Amino acid sequence: MVNIYELFNEGGTIQPAHVQRDMLQKISGALHLGMQEMTATAETGRVQATALERHSQRMMAEHSERARNQLEDLSKLIDQLAAVSAPDRLANEWGQYLRDATERAVLAADILRKRADMFLAHEAAGCPPVLIYDYEIVMDGADQPLPSNYILLKITPPEGQETHDWKRPYIIIDPRAGHGPGIGGFKSDSQVGVALADGHPVYFVAFRREPAEGQYLSYVTRTEAAFVREVMRRHPDAAKPIITGNCQGGWATLLLAATNPDLTGPIVINGAPVATWSGTVGDNPMRYNAGVLGGTWVPMFLSDLGGGIFDGAHLVQNFEMLNPSRTLFRKYTDLFRDADTAEPAFMEFERWWGGFFLLNEPEIRWIVEQLFVGNRLVKNEARIEPGRPVDLKAIRAPIIVFASHGDNITPPQQALNWIVQTYADEHEIRIRGQRIIYMVHEKVGHLGIFVSSKIARREHTEVASTLKTIEALAPGLYEMTIDDIVEQDGKTHFVVGFNERQMSDIRSLSDTLQDERPFAAVARASEVQAQLYDAIVRPAVKTVVTQSAAEASRALHPQRLSRAMMASRNPWMSLLPAAAQQVTENRAKAAAQNPFLAAEALWVQGVEQAIDMWRDTRDMMTENTFFAMWATPWGRSFGATHETRRTLKNADELRSLPEVSQALYNITRGGFAEAVIRMLILLAENRKGVRRDRLERASRVLTQDAPFVALGAERRAMIIQEQTLIATFAPDEAIATLPELLSDEEDRQKALLVVRYIPGAIEEMSPQTLNLLERFHQVLGEPAFTSDVTQDPLAAKPAELANS
C-alpha cells in the first residue's frame, strides 16, 4: 500500500509508474476476462450444438421410422382398396364404414357428455378424492392452530383383506400440482393396494379443492407433521411410519422429513422434481419454460387475476402441452376408435385428470421461486418460513428415490442430482448414518410411476419388501436393481440386489454442470421481475379484479369450459342420450378388414406425427432460444451471484467430523453385538453390494434374535452407524481389534457362525467374501471353515450349533 507522497510526484501529478501499472493491470484483466468468456462462449456453443444434434438425430430417427411404417401401411391400404375396386363393392364398404364411423361418433360424443356431467358433479361435490377405496377422515388440517386444507384419511381395506396395527403404517402423500388427490390409490394394483395386501395400515394425505384462508406452504408441512404424530399415536407398537411422496408430494415429504427428523421412518420419493435446474441437453424442455416464458411474476399475475388464488388448471394445461398429440388429439381419436369399449377406462382416468385444485398465491410463489426457478432447496438456501431454513442433510430416515428415463416431467437428473449436490460424496452419507437407495426405470412415464399396474406389481412390491429390511442395511448410497425373475409356485418372484454406488454414478446420468449456468441468470431475472411486478403492476391489477371476475376466469378456463360445454345442461346435447341408446341397440360395426378403417388409422397416425413434429421443433427452438438469451456474457455476469451452490466438505474435513473421531475412539469398545455388526458391514463393503435375501437374513438376526432384539431400533441404528464409520475409515484396525470385542471363546464361535449364515452357501460367495471370512477366523484364532451355515445360529438349538 502506497502513501500520499509515493502516489504523487513533486509536480502534484500521479506517478507515471502507477499509471503504467494501472494500464497493464486493466489490459491483463481484460485479456483474462476475454479468455474466460471465449472459453465459456465456446462451451455454450458446444452445448447448443449438442442440443441441435440430439434433437435432430432423435427427430430424424423417430420420424423417419414412423414415415416408413406409414408408407408400408399406405401400400397395404392400396392393396386393400384394389381388392375391393369393383364399384358396387367399394360403395358397400364405404357405406358400412360411414355408418360405423357415424355410430362411433355418437357413442364417443355421449361419453364426452357423461364426462362433462361427471365433471360438474365432481366440482359441485368439492372434488373429493378419487380413491377406489373406502376411507374415514382421521384428522382435518382446518382444526390445526395454523389451518390448511389438508385432511388425513385412513383407508378401509377391501373385503377379504386385513391389516394389523402392529405392522408399520404407510402414509401416502399425493401431489397437489393442479389435480386432486387419489392417484396413489387409483387402482387396486397401486401403492395403496400393495401395502394393504401385505397387512399394513394405510393412511392417505388428501386435500380439499380450496386452500384455507391465509394458508402458506409451511402450514401444510406443519399439518403433515401433525398427521404423522397422530398415526404414531394410533400405532404405538409399530415402527415409525413409512411415508411415500408422489411427484410434488415427494419434495413435500423431503420438507417434512428435514424439518421433523424425529418423526418419519423410511421415506419413498416417486418422480419428485428436487434439483430442478438439472436435465439432459437436447431433452427435458420443461426446465426451460421460466427462461423463455417468464419467471415468478407469471403465477403472481395469474393469481391476481384469480383474486389471490392460483388455478391448478393452468398447471394441467402446461402438462398437456408437453405431449399435445397424446393429450389433445390421440386421446380422443382412441376414444372414437374404441367407442364401444373405451368408456370405463376413459372415465376412470378423466375423473382424476379433470379435477382442478387451487393454491393460494404465497404457496405457488414459494414453489416457483424456491424450487423451480431458484433451485434453493438443493443450494441449501430454501426457507419454509422466516428464520426456518430447510437442510436436506437433517433427514435421518432412509430414503428410496424412484425415477424413470421415460418421465418427461421429472427426468432422473431432477429426481437424483440433489444427492450429489447435498453430500460431498458417498462417505459423507455413511458418516451421517444415512441410507439412500435409488432406482431408475428405463421407460415408464411420469404417471406410470404412480398408477401403472406393472410398476405396482413389480417395483412397488419390491420396494415394500425392501422397506422391511432397509434399516439393517449399512449406511451408504445404493442402487436397487431387479437382477433376475424367478417363477416359483405359479408366482413371479424378483431377485433384488442393492449395489453400492458412488456419486459419479449419479453424475453420469447428466451432462456437465455447464448447461445449468444460465439458470442462475434466469433466477435473478425472475426475482427482479417479481419485485417490479409487485411494486408497479400488481396494485393496478388488484384494483380492477373483483370476486366475480376471478370466479369467471376460473369457469372460463379452457380446461373447464371444454368439459362443461359438453354437459347435459347444454341444450345442444339434449338429443345425445337417446341417439346413443338407439345406436347401442342397433349397432352395426364395420368389418375389421374394411379398407376405410385402415385409412382412418393411417390418417390418425399422420396427424399425430405432424403434431409430434411441431412439438419436437418447438422444443428444439425453446432450448436454443433459452441458451441464446441467457448463456451470453451478460447472462453469465448477471447470474454470477446466483450460481453459488452448497459448499461441500472435502475428504479431510469429513474424517475430522466429531462423529468419525468418536467412532474411531470406540474402536476397541463393545461386545458381541458390535463385533457381529462390524463384520457384516465389512462383508457388505467388500462385496460392494448385497442381495435382498441376504439383507432379509441380516434383518431377521438384527431385529428378532438375542442380544440384538433387546437393543431397540434407536440403539441398533447408532451401533450400525458407528461400526460403519469404523469399517470405512479404519478397515484394517476394525478387523485387528475384533478379539478385544470378543474375548469369550463361545462368543467368537457364535459370532463367526452368524457372519457365515448371512452370506448364504459357500458356493454362492465371491472370492473376496471367502477371503474376508477366512481373515475373520484367523484374527479370532479359530480354524478354517468348510461347511455351510444354513440355520440362524442365534435361533438354533445347542445340538445344531455343535454340528455346524
Side-chain angles (χ1 to χ4, degrees):
M1 180 175 177
V2 300
N3 58 47
I4 191 171
Y5 299 105
E6 296 169 337
L7 184 62
F8 295 97
N9 59 24
E10 294 181 357
T13 59
I14 296 177
Q15 293 280 5
H18 294 305
V19 175
Q20 295 173 1
R21 179 200 62 192
D22 293 342
M23 291 295 294
L24 288 173
Q25 286 178 345
K26 287 292 184 183
I27 293 172
S28 176
L31 289 173
H32 180 68
L33 181 61
M35 291 296 294
Q36 285 183 326
E37 286 302 328
M38 287 176 64
T39 302
T41 300
E43 181 63 22
T44 298
R46 186 196 65 78
V47 168
Q48 289 182 293
T50 300
L52 282 170
E53 180 183 8
R54 290 176 178 173
H55 279 292
S56 301
Q57 287 180 348
R58 183 172 60 250
M59 291 167 66
M60 180 66 70
E62 178 183 334
H63 291 286
S64 296
E65 178 67 21
R66 291 170 69 173
R68 280 193 296 271
N69 292 337
Q70 289 182 52
L71 285 173
E72 292 177 3
D73 291 342
L74 179 60
S75 177
K76 293 176 183 177
L77 175 60
I78 293 172
D79 292 340
Q80 284 183 275
L81 290 170
V84 295
S85 59
D88 56 338
R89 188 173 177 188
L90 189 64
N92 183 55
E93 296 285 349
W94 170 250
Q96 290 181 12
Y97 169 76
L98 190 60
R99 177 174 178 177
D100 175 68
T102 303
E103 290 177 347
R104 283 187 287 127
V106 172
L107 293 176
D110 193 53
I111 294 173
L112 293 177
R113 178 191 62 83
K114 293 176 182 177
R115 181 186 73 166
D117 290 345
M118 178 183 68
F119 164 73
L120 293 178
H122 193 57
E123 288 262 305
C127 295
V130 296
L131 295 163
I132 65 167
Y133 300 94
D134 293 330
Y135 56 83
E136 61 173 301
I137 297 178
V138 175
M139 282 187 71
D140 194 330
D143 300 329
Q144 295 296 304
L146 298 175
S148 74
N149 64 333
Y150 277 61
I151 49 178
L152 178 65
L153 312 176
K154 183 175 183 181
I155 303 298
T156 303
E159 188 176 352
Q161 286 188 343
E162 184 181 1
T163 60
H164 308 283
D165 285 345
W166 53 267
K167 280 200 166 187
R168 192 198 291 264
Y170 276 69
I171 301 175
I172 296 175
I173 301 178
D174 251 12
R176 183 166 166 240
H179 297 105
I183 195 72
F186 193 62
K187 300 179 179 179
S188 57
D189 285 335
S190 64
Q191 297 164 335
V192 173
V194 167
L196 287 175
D198 201 29
H200 293 271
V202 178
Y203 293 83
F204 201 90
V205 176
F207 40 87
R208 295 188 174 88
R209 180 178 56 195
E210 291 86 7
E213 186 176 354
Q215 175 175 312
Y216 289 88
L217 203 65
S218 60
Y219 294 7
V220 173
T221 303
R222 290 177 180 273
T223 298
E224 290 169 342
F227 290 169
V228 176
R229 292 188 182 95
E230 174 61 18
V231 172
M232 292 172 67
R233 187 192 68 78
R234 286 169 164 253
H235 300 273
D237 298 327
K240 290 181 179 179
I242 294 166
I243 302 182
T244 297
N246 295 325
C247 188
Q248 179 270 348
W251 56 255
T253 299
L254 291 176
L255 292 180
L256 169 65
T259 52
N260 301 274
D262 60 316
L263 288 185
T264 72
I267 60 178
V268 183
I269 310 300
N270 294 312
V274 183
T276 53
W277 289 0
S278 298
T280 304
V281 171
D283 206 350
N284 315 133
M286 195 172 181
R287 64 177 179 148
Y288 303 115
N289 282 356
V292 177
L293 304 178
T296 309
W297 77 270
V298 175
M300 292 170 64
F301 174 62
L302 293 174
S303 298
D304 289 340
L305 292 180
I309 298 294
F310 180 83
D311 190 352
H314 298 307
L315 299 177
V316 177
Q317 189 155 291
N318 283 343
F319 295 149
E320 290 196 341
M321 291 306 296
L322 280 175
N323 191 8
S325 68
R326 172 71 254 173
T327 56
L328 302 180
F329 178 71
R330 192 60 188 257
K331 179 170 72 172
Y332 298 104
T333 58
D334 286 353
L335 177 65
F336 171 66
R337 181 194 64 201
D338 304 322
D340 296 284
T341 58
E343 181 177 338
F346 181 82
M347 296 290 281
E348 179 186 49
F349 180 76
E350 285 296 304
R351 184 166 173 251
W352 174 74
W353 188 257
F356 308 113
F357 280 61
L358 312 177
L359 296 92
N360 280 339
E361 188 271 345
E363 293 183 285
I364 188 65
R365 182 171 182 178
W366 193 98
I367 292 169
V368 173
E369 201 167 59
Q370 302 277 334
L371 289 176
F372 290 99
V373 177
N375 203 34
R376 296 179 188 175
L377 187 60
V378 170
K379 296 195 292 182
N380 199 31
E381 295 176 354
R383 279 170 170 70
I384 195 168
E385 55 194 7
R388 194 181 182 195
V390 181
D391 187 355
L392 296 180
K393 282 186 183 179
I395 299 174
R396 290 291 174 262
I399 303 172
I400 294 181
V401 184
F402 187 45
S404 173
H405 287 295
D407 190 341
N408 64 342
I409 293 178
T410 305
Q413 298 81 10
Q414 293 188 11
L416 297 174
N417 277 3
W418 67 269
I419 300 171
V420 300
Q421 296 177 30
T422 298
Y423 298 94
D425 56 22
E426 58 278 4
H427 295 299
E428 184 176 5
I429 296 176
R430 292 195 191 103
I431 290 169
R432 297 186 181 278
Q434 182 56 280
R435 300 162 185 84
I436 300 178
I437 301 171
Y438 69 91
M439 186 175 188
V440 182
H441 197 277
E442 285 301 319
K443 295 181 180 179
V444 68
H446 185 69
L447 292 180
I449 294 176
F450 320 135
V451 303
S452 167
S453 297
K454 179 181 177 182
I455 296 300
R457 286 194 295 266
R458 192 172 106 156
E459 275 82 354
H460 288 325
T461 299
E462 296 313 309
V463 167
S465 299
T466 297
L467 291 169
K468 300 175 184 177
T469 57
I470 189 174
E471 285 158 316
L473 197 63
L477 176 66
Y478 300 87
E479 181 180 9
M480 176 177 168
T481 57
I482 296 179
D483 300 324
D484 196 10
I485 302 175
V486 179
E487 297 292 337
Q488 184 178 346
D489 301 328
K491 296 182 179 179
T492 302
H493 300 269
F494 302 100
V495 179
V496 173
F498 303 93
N499 302 299
E500 279 196 60
R501 292 293 184 247
Q502 298 177 337
M503 295 300 193
S504 57
D505 293 304
I506 295 180
R507 290 192 186 98
S508 67
L509 297 172
S510 307
D511 297 308
T512 65
L513 290 179
Q514 185 66 27
D515 66 296
E516 295 187 21
R517 286 190 68 185
F519 289 93
V522 174
R524 185 179 178 189
S526 177
E527 291 177 4
V528 173
Q529 292 166 2
Q531 292 170 355
L532 290 173
Y533 173 81
D534 191 52
I536 300 172
V537 182
R538 167 167 276 178
V541 176
K542 285 188 172 183
T543 300
V544 300
V545 173
T546 63
Q547 182 177 350
S548 297
E551 292 172 350
S553 72
R554 288 188 281 273
L556 295 174
H557 192 284
Q559 290 290 332
R560 290 190 181 85
L561 190 62
S562 62
R563 287 168 169 80
M565 291 301 291
M566 294 290 291
S568 297
R569 293 168 63 179
N570 183 345
W572 290 96
M573 307 300 292
S574 60
L575 299 178
L576 260 182
Q581 179 66 28
Q582 185 176 2
V583 166
T584 302
E585 293 172 355
N586 302 281
R587 183 78 169 97
K589 296 183 181 179
Q593 63 271 21
N594 188 302
F596 295 103
L597 287 176
E600 175 191 296
L602 188 62
W603 175 81
V604 168
Q605 292 172 19
V607 175
E608 181 183 29
Q609 183 173 1
I611 298 174
D612 284 344
M613 178 64 81
W614 169 81
R615 177 204 63 197
D616 294 341
T617 305
R618 175 203 66 186
D619 293 345
M620 180 173 64
M621 293 178 63
T622 296
E623 184 166 21
N624 279 277
T625 299
F626 175 87
F627 286 110
M629 289 175 62
W630 301 106
T632 61
W634 174 87
R636 285 186 286 273
S637 176
F638 184 72
T641 57
H642 288 56
E643 278 188 33
T644 55
R645 297 182 181 256
R646 184 182 192 129
T647 302
L648 303 177
K649 297 182 182 296
N650 59 39
D652 292 334
E653 290 173 324
L654 290 176
R655 188 179 179 89
S656 64
L657 286 173
E659 297 96 319
V660 179
S661 300
Q662 182 66 32
L664 296 178
Y665 179 77
N666 291 331
I667 196 169
T668 59
R669 298 185 179 187
F672 182 85
E674 286 78 5
V676 169
I677 289 174
R678 182 184 299 181
M679 286 190 282
L680 291 178
I681 292 170
L682 286 165
L683 282 171
E685 291 199 355
N686 182 263
R687 291 191 302 268
K688 298 301 180 186
V690 58
R691 278 194 348 213
R692 200 184 70 203
D693 59 338
R694 293 170 177 169
L695 183 60
E696 287 173 348
R697 288 195 289 271
S699 177
R700 191 160 55 246
V701 168
L702 297 180
T703 59
Q704 299 178 20
D705 294 345
F708 301 102
V709 68
L711 295 174
E714 298 292 337
R715 174 62 181 159
R716 186 165 53 247
M718 291 174 60
I719 294 175
I720 291 175
Q721 180 181 0
E722 182 176 73
Q723 297 306 317
T724 298
L725 295 179
I726 291 171
T728 299
F729 288 94
D732 292 331
E733 291 179 66
I735 297 173
T737 53
L738 284 173
E740 299 186 51
L741 304 183
L742 297 168
S743 56
D744 183 78
E745 178 67 19
E746 184 180 349
D747 282 349
R748 291 185 180 187
Q749 294 177 358
K750 192 180 296 186
L752 288 171
L753 288 172
V754 172
V755 297
R756 284 166 50 198
Y757 164 70
I758 300 299
I762 293 175
E763 62 180 14
E764 296 180 357
M765 297 181 190
S766 66
Q768 295 89 342
T769 298
L770 288 170
N771 291 337
L772 190 54
L773 285 172
E774 287 287 356
R775 192 174 172 189
F776 291 159
H777 276 253
Q778 291 171 5
V779 78
L780 291 173
E782 299 297 324
F785 63 93
T786 57
S787 60
D788 294 335
V789 180
T790 59
Q791 296 183 0
D792 181 353
L794 300 182
K797 298 176 182 178
E800 293 170 333
L801 286 173
N803 296 329
S804 297

